Amino acid sequence: MTDCSHIAFCIILNGLKISFFECLPKLFWRFQMDTRTLAESYFTAVNKGGWEDFVAENFDYGMCDSQDIKRGRDVYLQGAGQFYALSQHLEVKQLLVDGRTVSALNRYRLHSPQGKELELDVAEFLKFDEFDKLVASNIYFDTYRFQKFIQGIE
């Protein structure tokens, strides 16, 4: 039985005193998705739609050799959205998980505005929070080859 003399709120249930504060973690406990499953679901959504639902409001976004980290959900939605609009298909080649952090090697099949196609390997480093939201993404790929593709040179 719990001594509730020092606690402001207790529940008496079937003659047992239960501290409200002892129950709080159980009341607000929620299911947290396995990180591997979460990452796989995100990449599936990149192919099928709905990837935006995974992105948190507080978001950090880094790209290639830039030291500039962009912040905010809208910035990521715009940048990633432009890239994903070119993507015909994403194939996860390798996925490594450590806690809530994911390293992935993905192959994107891109289709340019000029009608050309390119397979581009992209290293992606993602971080998910305790609410299963994507809070950070850093991506690395051959920017020279990508620019030539976009310009219609390759």
Side-chain angles (χ1 to χ4, degrees), residues 13-34:
L13 183 63
N14 291 336
L16 295 175
K17 291 181 183 177
I18 302 169
S19 162
F20 178 70
F21 297 105
E22 289 175 316
C23 296
L24 264 179
K26 293 177 182 122
L27 289 172
F28 293 103
W29 180 86
R30 59 175 294 285
F31 175 75
Q32 189 177 61
M33 190 182 291
D34 171 79

mmCIF file with all atom_site columns, all heavy atoms in Angstrom, residues 13-34:
data_model
loop_
_atom_site.group_PDB
_atom_site.id
_atom_site.type_symbol
_atom_site.label_atom_id
_atom_site.label_alt_id
_atom_site.label_comp_id
_atom_site.label_asym_id
_atom_site.label_entity_id
_atom_site.label_seq_id
_atom_site.pdbx_PDB_ins_code
_atom_site.Cartn_x
_atom_site.Cartn_y
_atom_site.Cartn_z
_atom_site.occupancy
_atom_site.B_iso_or_equiv
_atom_site.pdbx_formal_charge
_atom_site.auth_seq_id
_atom_site.auth_comp_id
_atom_site.auth_asym_id
_atom_site.auth_atom_id
_atom_site.pdbx_PDB_model_num
ATOM 1   N N   . LEU A 1 13 ? -8.710  2.653  -4.681  1.00 0.00 ? 13 LEU A N   1
ATOM 2   C CA  . LEU A 1 13 ? -9.325  1.688  -5.571  1.00 0.00 ? 13 LEU A CA  1
ATOM 3   C C   . LEU A 1 13 ? -9.368  0.353  -4.856  1.00 0.00 ? 13 LEU A C   1
ATOM 4   O O   . LEU A 1 13 ? -8.331  -0.199 -4.500  1.00 0.00 ? 13 LEU A O   1
ATOM 5   C CB  . LEU A 1 13 ? -8.506  1.584  -6.864  1.00 0.00 ? 13 LEU A CB  1
ATOM 6   C CG  . LEU A 1 13 ? -9.023  0.672  -7.953  1.00 0.00 ? 13 LEU A CG  1
ATOM 7   C CD1 . LEU A 1 13 ? -10.378 1.149  -8.460  1.00 0.00 ? 13 LEU A CD1 1
ATOM 8   C CD2 . LEU A 1 13 ? -8.022  0.629  -9.087  1.00 0.00 ? 13 LEU A CD2 1
ATOM 9   N N   . ASN A 1 14 ? -10.559 -0.171 -4.600  1.00 0.00 ? 14 ASN A N   1
ATOM 10  C CA  . ASN A 1 14 ? -10.735 -1.426 -3.882  1.00 0.00 ? 14 ASN A CA  1
ATOM 11  C C   . ASN A 1 14 ? -9.957  -1.441 -2.568  1.00 0.00 ? 14 ASN A C   1
ATOM 12  O O   . ASN A 1 14 ? -9.321  -2.408 -2.207  1.00 0.00 ? 14 ASN A O   1
ATOM 13  C CB  . ASN A 1 14 ? -10.296 -2.611 -4.742  1.00 0.00 ? 14 ASN A CB  1
ATOM 14  C CG  . ASN A 1 14 ? -11.224 -2.820 -5.906  1.00 0.00 ? 14 ASN A CG  1
ATOM 15  O OD1 . ASN A 1 14 ? -12.389 -2.424 -5.866  1.00 0.00 ? 14 ASN A OD1 1
ATOM 16  N ND2 . ASN A 1 14 ? -10.719 -3.443 -6.954  1.00 0.00 ? 14 ASN A ND2 1
ATOM 17  N N   . GLY A 1 15 ? -9.976  -0.310 -1.865  1.00 0.00 ? 15 GLY A N   1
ATOM 18  C CA  . GLY A 1 15 ? -9.330  -0.233 -0.567  1.00 0.00 ? 15 GLY A CA  1
ATOM 19  C C   . GLY A 1 15 ? -7.836  0.030  -0.615  1.00 0.00 ? 15 GLY A C   1
ATOM 20  O O   . GLY A 1 15 ? -7.207  0.186  0.424   1.00 0.00 ? 15 GLY A O   1
ATOM 21  N N   . LEU A 1 16 ? -7.217  0.089  -1.802  1.00 0.00 ? 16 LEU A N   1
ATOM 22  C CA  . LEU A 1 16 ? -5.782  0.366  -1.918  1.00 0.00 ? 16 LEU A CA  1
ATOM 23  C C   . LEU A 1 16 ? -5.567  1.821  -2.296  1.00 0.00 ? 16 LEU A C   1
ATOM 24  O O   . LEU A 1 16 ? -6.249  2.348  -3.170  1.00 0.00 ? 16 LEU A O   1
ATOM 25  C CB  . LEU A 1 16 ? -5.137  -0.524 -2.986  1.00 0.00 ? 16 LEU A CB  1
ATOM 26  C CG  . LEU A 1 16 ? -5.116  -2.016 -2.711  1.00 0.00 ? 16 LEU A CG  1
ATOM 27  C CD1 . LEU A 1 16 ? -4.569  -2.759 -3.922  1.00 0.00 ? 16 LEU A CD1 1
ATOM 28  C CD2 . LEU A 1 16 ? -4.270  -2.306 -1.494  1.00 0.00 ? 16 LEU A CD2 1
ATOM 29  N N   . LYS A 1 17 ? -4.618  2.438  -1.633  1.00 0.00 ? 17 LYS A N   1
ATOM 30  C CA  . LYS A 1 17 ? -4.259  3.805  -1.996  1.00 0.00 ? 17 LYS A CA  1
ATOM 31  C C   . LYS A 1 17 ? -3.206  3.742  -3.092  1.00 0.00 ? 17 LYS A C   1
ATOM 32  O O   . LYS A 1 17 ? -2.202  3.053  -2.962  1.00 0.00 ? 17 LYS A O   1
ATOM 33  C CB  . LYS A 1 17 ? -3.690  4.556  -0.794  1.00 0.00 ? 17 LYS A CB  1
ATOM 34  C CG  . LYS A 1 17 ? -4.686  4.857  0.280   1.00 0.00 ? 17 LYS A CG  1
ATOM 35  C CD  . LYS A 1 17 ? -4.003  5.622  1.388   1.00 0.00 ? 17 LYS A CD  1
ATOM 36  C CE  . LYS A 1 17 ? -4.951  5.880  2.532   1.00 0.00 ? 17 LYS A CE  1
ATOM 37  N NZ  . LYS A 1 17 ? -4.278  6.562  3.648   1.00 0.00 ? 17 LYS A NZ  1
ATOM 38  N N   . ILE A 1 18 ? -3.453  4.470  -4.189  1.00 0.00 ? 18 ILE A N   1
ATOM 39  C CA  . ILE A 1 18 ? -2.517  4.498  -5.304  1.00 0.00 ? 18 ILE A CA  1
ATOM 40  C C   . ILE A 1 18 ? -2.183  5.956  -5.590  1.00 0.00 ? 18 ILE A C   1
ATOM 41  O O   . ILE A 1 18 ? -3.077  6.767  -5.811  1.00 0.00 ? 18 ILE A O   1
ATOM 42  C CB  . ILE A 1 18 ? -3.118  3.837  -6.566  1.00 0.00 ? 18 ILE A CB  1
ATOM 43  C CG1 . ILE A 1 18 ? -3.512  2.398  -6.255  1.00 0.00 ? 18 ILE A CG1 1
ATOM 44  C CG2 . ILE A 1 18 ? -2.137  3.909  -7.727  1.00 0.00 ? 18 ILE A CG2 1
ATOM 45  C CD1 . ILE A 1 18 ? -4.329  1.753  -7.335  1.00 0.00 ? 18 ILE A CD1 1
ATOM 46  N N   . SER A 1 19 ? -0.914  6.280  -5.588  1.00 0.00 ? 19 SER A N   1
ATOM 47  C CA  . SER A 1 19 ? -0.469  7.637  -5.879  1.00 0.00 ? 19 SER A CA  1
ATOM 48  C C   . SER A 1 19 ? -0.701  7.945  -7.356  1.00 0.00 ? 19 SER A C   1
ATOM 49  O O   . SER A 1 19 ? -0.364  7.156  -8.235  1.00 0.00 ? 19 SER A O   1
ATOM 50  C CB  . SER A 1 19 ? 1.015   7.772  -5.550  1.00 0.00 ? 19 SER A CB  1
ATOM 51  O OG  . SER A 1 19 ? 1.559   8.899  -6.189  1.00 0.00 ? 19 SER A OG  1
ATOM 52  N N   . PHE A 1 20 ? -1.280  9.111  -7.623  1.00 0.00 ? 20 PHE A N   1
ATOM 53  C CA  . PHE A 1 20 ? -1.491  9.551  -8.999  1.00 0.00 ? 20 PHE A CA  1
ATOM 54  C C   . PHE A 1 20 ? -0.154  9.634  -9.730  1.00 0.00 ? 20 PHE A C   1
ATOM 55  O O   . PHE A 1 20 ? -0.043  9.298  -10.887 1.00 0.00 ? 20 PHE A O   1
ATOM 56  C CB  . PHE A 1 20 ? -2.197  10.909 -8.999  1.00 0.00 ? 20 PHE A CB  1
ATOM 57  C CG  . PHE A 1 20 ? -2.413  11.471 -10.371 1.00 0.00 ? 20 PHE A CG  1
ATOM 58  C CD1 . PHE A 1 20 ? -3.334  10.894 -11.229 1.00 0.00 ? 20 PHE A CD1 1
ATOM 59  C CD2 . PHE A 1 20 ? -1.689  12.569 -10.798 1.00 0.00 ? 20 PHE A CD2 1
ATOM 60  C CE1 . PHE A 1 20 ? -3.546  11.419 -12.500 1.00 0.00 ? 20 PHE A CE1 1
ATOM 61  C CE2 . PHE A 1 20 ? -1.885  13.093 -12.065 1.00 0.00 ? 20 PHE A CE2 1
ATOM 62  C CZ  . PHE A 1 20 ? -2.818  12.521 -12.917 1.00 0.00 ? 20 PHE A CZ  1
ATOM 63  N N   . PHE A 1 21 ? 0.894   10.075 -9.031  1.00 0.00 ? 21 PHE A N   1
ATOM 64  C CA  . PHE A 1 21 ? 2.197   10.248 -9.665  1.00 0.00 ? 21 PHE A CA  1
ATOM 65  C C   . PHE A 1 21 ? 2.872   8.920  -9.980  1.00 0.00 ? 21 PHE A C   1
ATOM 66  O O   . PHE A 1 21 ? 3.681   8.822  -10.880 1.00 0.00 ? 21 PHE A O   1
ATOM 67  C CB  . PHE A 1 21 ? 3.090   11.135 -8.799  1.00 0.00 ? 21 PHE A CB  1
ATOM 68  C CG  . PHE A 1 21 ? 2.528   12.520 -8.662  1.00 0.00 ? 21 PHE A CG  1
ATOM 69  C CD1 . PHE A 1 21 ? 1.915   12.927 -7.499  1.00 0.00 ? 21 PHE A CD1 1
ATOM 70  C CD2 . PHE A 1 21 ? 2.564   13.402 -9.730  1.00 0.00 ? 21 PHE A CD2 1
ATOM 71  C CE1 . PHE A 1 21 ? 1.367   14.192 -7.384  1.00 0.00 ? 21 PHE A CE1 1
ATOM 72  C CE2 . PHE A 1 21 ? 2.015   14.673 -9.630  1.00 0.00 ? 21 PHE A CE2 1
ATOM 73  C CZ  . PHE A 1 21 ? 1.411   15.069 -8.450  1.00 0.00 ? 21 PHE A CZ  1
ATOM 74  N N   . GLU A 1 22 ? 2.508   7.877  -9.258  1.00 0.00 ? 22 GLU A N   1
ATOM 75  C CA  . GLU A 1 22 ? 3.014   6.549  -9.605  1.00 0.00 ? 22 GLU A CA  1
ATOM 76  C C   . GLU A 1 22 ? 2.340   6.039  -10.878 1.00 0.00 ? 22 GLU A C   1
ATOM 77  O O   . GLU A 1 22 ? 2.915   5.271  -11.622 1.00 0.00 ? 22 GLU A O   1
ATOM 78  C CB  . GLU A 1 22 ? 2.743   5.554  -8.474  1.00 0.00 ? 22 GLU A CB  1
ATOM 79  C CG  . GLU A 1 22 ? 3.597   5.781  -7.254  1.00 0.00 ? 22 GLU A CG  1
ATOM 80  C CD  . GLU A 1 22 ? 3.195   4.857  -6.122  1.00 0.00 ? 22 GLU A CD  1
ATOM 81  O OE1 . GLU A 1 22 ? 1.989   4.692  -5.876  1.00 0.00 ? 22 GLU A OE1 1
ATOM 82  O OE2 . GLU A 1 22 ? 4.100   4.297  -5.495  1.00 0.00 ? 22 GLU A OE2 1
ATOM 83  N N   . CYS A 1 23 ? 1.128   6.505  -11.113 1.00 0.00 ? 23 CYS A N   1
ATOM 84  C CA  . CYS A 1 23 ? 0.367   6.052  -12.277 1.00 0.00 ? 23 CYS A CA  1
ATOM 85  C C   . CYS A 1 23 ? 0.648   6.862  -13.529 1.00 0.00 ? 23 CYS A C   1
ATOM 86  O O   . CYS A 1 23 ? 0.374   6.403  -14.630 1.00 0.00 ? 23 CYS A O   1
ATOM 87  C CB  . CYS A 1 23 ? -1.135  6.130  -11.979 1.00 0.00 ? 23 CYS A CB  1
ATOM 88  S SG  . CYS A 1 23 ? -1.640  5.029  -10.664 1.00 0.00 ? 23 CYS A SG  1
ATOM 89  N N   . LEU A 1 24 ? 1.183   8.071  -13.382 1.00 0.00 ? 24 LEU A N   1
ATOM 90  C CA  . LEU A 1 24 ? 1.392   8.940  -14.538 1.00 0.00 ? 24 LEU A CA  1
ATOM 91  C C   . LEU A 1 24 ? 2.143   8.281  -15.686 1.00 0.00 ? 24 LEU A C   1
ATOM 92  O O   . LEU A 1 24 ? 1.686   8.337  -16.821 1.00 0.00 ? 24 LEU A O   1
ATOM 93  C CB  . LEU A 1 24 ? 2.114   10.220 -14.122 1.00 0.00 ? 24 LEU A CB  1
ATOM 94  C CG  . LEU A 1 24 ? 1.231   11.418 -13.836 1.00 0.00 ? 24 LEU A CG  1
ATOM 95  C CD1 . LEU A 1 24 ? 2.085   12.597 -13.409 1.00 0.00 ? 24 LEU A CD1 1
ATOM 96  C CD2 . LEU A 1 24 ? 0.333   11.778 -14.961 1.00 0.00 ? 24 LEU A CD2 1
ATOM 97  N N   . PRO A 1 25 ? 3.295   7.657  -15.426 1.00 0.00 ? 25 PRO A N   1
ATOM 98  C CA  . PRO A 1 25 ? 4.002   7.049  -16.564 1.00 0.00 ? 25 PRO A CA  1
ATOM 99  C C   . PRO A 1 25 ? 3.150   6.018  -17.297 1.00 0.00 ? 25 PRO A C   1
ATOM 100 O O   . PRO A 1 25 ? 3.221   5.906  -18.507 1.00 0.00 ? 25 PRO A O   1
ATOM 101 C CB  . PRO A 1 25 ? 5.225   6.393  -15.922 1.00 0.00 ? 25 PRO A CB  1
ATOM 102 C CG  . PRO A 1 25 ? 5.430   7.144  -14.650 1.00 0.00 ? 25 PRO A CG  1
ATOM 103 C CD  . PRO A 1 25 ? 4.049   7.546  -14.195 1.00 0.00 ? 25 PRO A CD  1
ATOM 104 N N   . LYS A 1 26 ? 2.347   5.276  -16.590 1.00 0.00 ? 26 LYS A N   1
ATOM 105 C CA  . LYS A 1 26 ? 1.510   4.264  -17.227 1.00 0.00 ? 26 LYS A CA  1
ATOM 106 C C   . LYS A 1 26 ? 0.357   4.893  -17.992 1.00 0.00 ? 26 LYS A C   1
ATOM 107 O O   . LYS A 1 26 ? -0.047  4.401  -19.036 1.00 0.00 ? 26 LYS A O   1
ATOM 108 C CB  . LYS A 1 26 ? 0.990   3.284  -16.176 1.00 0.00 ? 26 LYS A CB  1
ATOM 109 C CG  . LYS A 1 26 ? 2.098   2.453  -15.578 1.00 0.00 ? 26 LYS A CG  1
ATOM 110 C CD  . LYS A 1 26 ? 1.586   1.546  -14.503 1.00 0.00 ? 26 LYS A CD  1
ATOM 111 C CE  . LYS A 1 26 ? 2.738   0.782  -13.914 1.00 0.00 ? 26 LYS A CE  1
ATOM 112 N NZ  . LYS A 1 26 ? 2.917   0.961  -12.517 1.00 0.00 ? 26 LYS A NZ  1
ATOM 113 N N   . LEU A 1 27 ? -0.181  6.014  -17.467 1.00 0.00 ? 27 LEU A N   1
ATOM 114 C CA  . LEU A 1 27 ? -1.281  6.685  -18.143 1.00 0.00 ? 27 LEU A CA  1
ATOM 115 C C   . LEU A 1 27 ? -0.844  7.279  -19.475 1.00 0.00 ? 27 LEU A C   1
ATOM 116 O O   . LEU A 1 27 ? -1.608  7.304  -20.429 1.00 0.00 ? 27 LEU A O   1
ATOM 117 C CB  . LEU A 1 27 ? -1.851  7.799  -17.265 1.00 0.00 ? 27 LEU A CB  1
ATOM 118 C CG  . LEU A 1 27 ? -2.640  7.362  -16.040 1.00 0.00 ? 27 LEU A CG  1
ATOM 119 C CD1 . LEU A 1 27 ? -2.969  8.572  -15.172 1.00 0.00 ? 27 LEU A CD1 1
ATOM 120 C CD2 . LEU A 1 27 ? -3.911  6.642  -16.453 1.00 0.00 ? 27 LEU A CD2 1
ATOM 121 N N   . PHE A 1 28 ? 0.381   7.788  -19.510 1.00 0.00 ? 28 PHE A N   1
ATOM 122 C CA  . PHE A 1 28 ? 0.850   8.470  -20.711 1.00 0.00 ? 28 PHE A CA  1
ATOM 123 C C   . PHE A 1 28 ? 1.814   7.633  -21.525 1.00 0.00 ? 28 PHE A C   1
ATOM 124 O O   . PHE A 1 28 ? 2.404   8.114  -22.473 1.00 0.00 ? 28 PHE A O   1
ATOM 125 C CB  . PHE A 1 28 ? 1.488   9.816  -20.336 1.00 0.00 ? 28 PHE A CB  1
ATOM 126 C CG  . PHE A 1 28 ? 0.477   10.764 -19.799 1.00 0.00 ? 28 PHE A CG  1
ATOM 127 C CD1 . PHE A 1 28 ? 0.398   11.007 -18.441 1.00 0.00 ? 28 PHE A CD1 1
ATOM 128 C CD2 . PHE A 1 28 ? -0.433  11.380 -20.633 1.00 0.00 ? 28 PHE A CD2 1
ATOM 129 C CE1 . PHE A 1 28 ? -0.555  11.870 -17.938 1.00 0.00 ? 28 PHE A CE1 1
ATOM 130 C CE2 . PHE A 1 28 ? -1.393  12.245 -20.131 1.00 0.00 ? 28 PHE A CE2 1
ATOM 131 C CZ  . PHE A 1 28 ? -1.457  12.488 -18.777 1.00 0.00 ? 28 PHE A CZ  1
ATOM 132 N N   . TRP A 1 29 ? 1.964   6.366  -21.183 1.00 0.00 ? 29 TRP A N   1
ATOM 133 C CA  . TRP A 1 29 ? 2.832   5.480  -21.953 1.00 0.00 ? 29 TRP A CA  1
ATOM 134 C C   . TRP A 1 29 ? 2.221   5.288  -23.325 1.00 0.00 ? 29 TRP A C   1
ATOM 135 O O   . TRP A 1 29 ? 1.032   5.181  -23.496 1.00 0.00 ? 29 TRP A O   1
ATOM 136 C CB  . TRP A 1 29 ? 2.944   4.127  -21.251 1.00 0.00 ? 29 TRP A CB  1
ATOM 137 C CG  . TRP A 1 29 ? 3.816   3.180  -21.990 1.00 0.00 ? 29 TRP A CG  1
ATOM 138 C CD1 . TRP A 1 29 ? 5.158   3.076  -21.884 1.00 0.00 ? 29 TRP A CD1 1
ATOM 139 C CD2 . TRP A 1 29 ? 3.415   2.195  -22.948 1.00 0.00 ? 29 TRP A CD2 1
ATOM 140 N NE1 . TRP A 1 29 ? 5.634   2.095  -22.718 1.00 0.00 ? 29 TRP A NE1 1
ATOM 141 C CE2 . TRP A 1 29 ? 4.576   1.527  -23.390 1.00 0.00 ? 29 TRP A CE2 1
ATOM 142 C CE3 . TRP A 1 29 ? 2.204   1.815  -23.500 1.00 0.00 ? 29 TRP A CE3 1
ATOM 143 C CZ2 . TRP A 1 29 ? 4.556   0.517  -24.332 1.00 0.00 ? 29 TRP A CZ2 1
ATOM 144 C CZ3 . TRP A 1 29 ? 2.190   0.802  -24.437 1.00 0.00 ? 29 TRP A CZ3 1
ATOM 145 C CH2 . TRP A 1 29 ? 3.353   0.165  -24.832 1.00 0.00 ? 29 TRP A CH2 1
ATOM 146 N N   . ARG A 1 30 ? 3.074   5.296  -24.318 1.00 0.00 ? 30 ARG A N   1
ATOM 147 C CA  . ARG A 1 30 ? 2.606   5.082  -25.677 1.00 0.00 ? 30 ARG A CA  1
ATOM 148 C C   . ARG A 1 30 ? 3.550   4.120  -26.367 1.00 0.00 ? 30 ARG A C   1
ATOM 149 O O   . ARG A 1 30 ? 4.701   4.008  -26.011 1.00 0.00 ? 30 ARG A O   1
ATOM 150 C CB  . ARG A 1 30 ? 2.484   6.389  -26.450 1.00 0.00 ? 30 ARG A CB  1
ATOM 151 C CG  . ARG A 1 30 ? 3.778   7.177  -26.550 1.00 0.00 ? 30 ARG A CG  1
ATOM 152 C CD  . ARG A 1 30 ? 3.665   8.405  -27.422 1.00 0.00 ? 30 ARG A CD  1
ATOM 153 N NE  . ARG A 1 30 ? 3.425   8.114  -28.793 1.00 0.00 ? 30 ARG A NE  1
ATOM 154 C CZ  . ARG A 1 30 ? 4.325   7.650  -29.658 1.00 0.00 ? 30 ARG A CZ  1
ATOM 155 N NH1 . ARG A 1 30 ? 5.527   7.379  -29.274 1.00 0.00 ? 30 ARG A NH1 1
ATOM 156 N NH2 . ARG A 1 30 ? 4.007   7.453  -30.913 1.00 0.00 ? 30 ARG A NH2 1
ATOM 157 N N   . PHE A 1 31 ? 3.045   3.490  -27.362 1.00 0.00 ? 31 PHE A N   1
ATOM 158 C CA  . PHE A 1 31 ? 3.840   2.552  -28.151 1.00 0.00 ? 31 PHE A CA  1
ATOM 159 C C   . PHE A 1 31 ? 4.838   3.323  -28.994 1.00 0.00 ? 31 PHE A C   1
ATOM 160 O O   . PHE A 1 31 ? 4.485   4.289  -29.658 1.00 0.00 ? 31 PHE A O   1
ATOM 161 C CB  . PHE A 1 31 ? 2.920   1.726  -29.049 1.00 0.00 ? 31 PHE A CB  1
ATOM 162 C CG  . PHE A 1 31 ? 3.659   0.816  -29.969 1.00 0.00 ? 31 PHE A CG  1
ATOM 163 C CD1 . PHE A 1 31 ? 4.242   -0.342 -29.492 1.00 0.00 ? 31 PHE A CD1 1
ATOM 164 C CD2 . PHE A 1 31 ? 3.793   1.126  -31.305 1.00 0.00 ? 31 PHE A CD2 1
ATOM 165 C CE1 . PHE A 1 31 ? 4.934   -1.192 -30.342 1.00 0.00 ? 31 PHE A CE1 1
ATOM 166 C CE2 . PHE A 1 31 ? 4.473   0.295  -32.167 1.00 0.00 ? 31 PHE A CE2 1
ATOM 167 C CZ  . PHE A 1 31 ? 5.044   -0.869 -31.682 1.00 0.00 ? 31 PHE A CZ  1
ATOM 168 N N   . GLN A 1 32 ? 6.101   2.911  -28.945 1.00 0.00 ? 32 GLN A N   1
ATOM 169 C CA  . GLN A 1 32 ? 7.121   3.511  -29.797 1.00 0.00 ? 32 GLN A CA  1
ATOM 170 C C   . GLN A 1 32 ? 7.516   2.478  -30.838 1.00 0.00 ? 32 GLN A C   1
ATOM 171 O O   . GLN A 1 32 ? 7.850   1.352  -30.516 1.00 0.00 ? 32 GLN A O   1
ATOM 172 C CB  . GLN A 1 32 ? 8.334   3.911  -28.955 1.00 0.00 ? 32 GLN A CB  1
ATOM 173 C CG  . GLN A 1 32 ? 9.343   4.728  -29.715 1.00 0.00 ? 32 GLN A CG  1
ATOM 174 C CD  . GLN A 1 32 ? 10.487  5.155  -28.813 1.00 0.00 ? 32 GLN A CD  1
ATOM 175 O OE1 . GLN A 1 32 ? 11.180  4.314  -28.273 1.00 0.00 ? 32 GLN A OE1 1
ATOM 176 N NE2 . GLN A 1 32 ? 10.655  6.449  -28.655 1.00 0.00 ? 32 GLN A NE2 1
ATOM 177 N N   . MET A 1 33 ? 7.431   2.882  -32.102 1.00 0.00 ? 33 MET A N   1
ATOM 178 C CA  . MET A 1 33 ? 7.725   1.965  -33.189 1.00 0.00 ? 33 MET A CA  1
ATOM 179 C C   . MET A 1 33 ? 9.218   1.629  -33.217 1.00 0.00 ? 33 MET A C   1
ATOM 180 O O   . MET A 1 33 ? 10.056  2.480  -32.941 1.00 0.00 ? 33 MET A O   1
ATOM 181 C CB  . MET A 1 33 ? 7.298   2.588  -34.520 1.00 0.00 ? 33 MET A CB  1
ATOM 182 C CG  . MET A 1 33 ? 7.340   1.615  -35.681 1.00 0.00 ? 33 MET A CG  1
ATOM 183 S SD  . MET A 1 33 ? 6.894   2.355  -37.269 1.00 0.00 ? 33 MET A SD  1
ATOM 184 C CE  . MET A 1 33 ? 5.162   2.674  -37.034 1.00 0.00 ? 33 MET A CE  1
ATOM 185 N N   . ASP A 1 34 ? 9.525   0.396  -33.554 1.00 0.00 ? 34 ASP A N   1
ATOM 186 C CA  . ASP A 1 34 ? 10.897  -0.034 -33.755 1.00 0.00 ? 34 ASP A CA  1
ATOM 187 C C   . ASP A 1 34 ? 11.538  0.858  -34.821 1.00 0.00 ? 34 ASP A C   1
ATOM 188 O O   . ASP A 1 34 ? 10.918  1.137  -35.859 1.00 0.00 ? 34 ASP A O   1
ATOM 189 C CB  . ASP A 1 34 ? 10.871  -1.503 -34.196 1.00 0.00 ? 34 ASP A CB  1
ATOM 190 C CG  . ASP A 1 34 ? 12.203  -1.998 -34.646 1.00 0.00 ? 34 ASP A CG  1
ATOM 191 O OD1 . ASP A 1 34 ? 13.035  -2.302 -33.775 1.00 0.00 ? 34 ASP A OD1 1
ATOM 192 O OD2 . ASP A 1 34 ? 12.427  -2.071 -35.869 1.00 0.00 ? 34 ASP A OD2 1
#
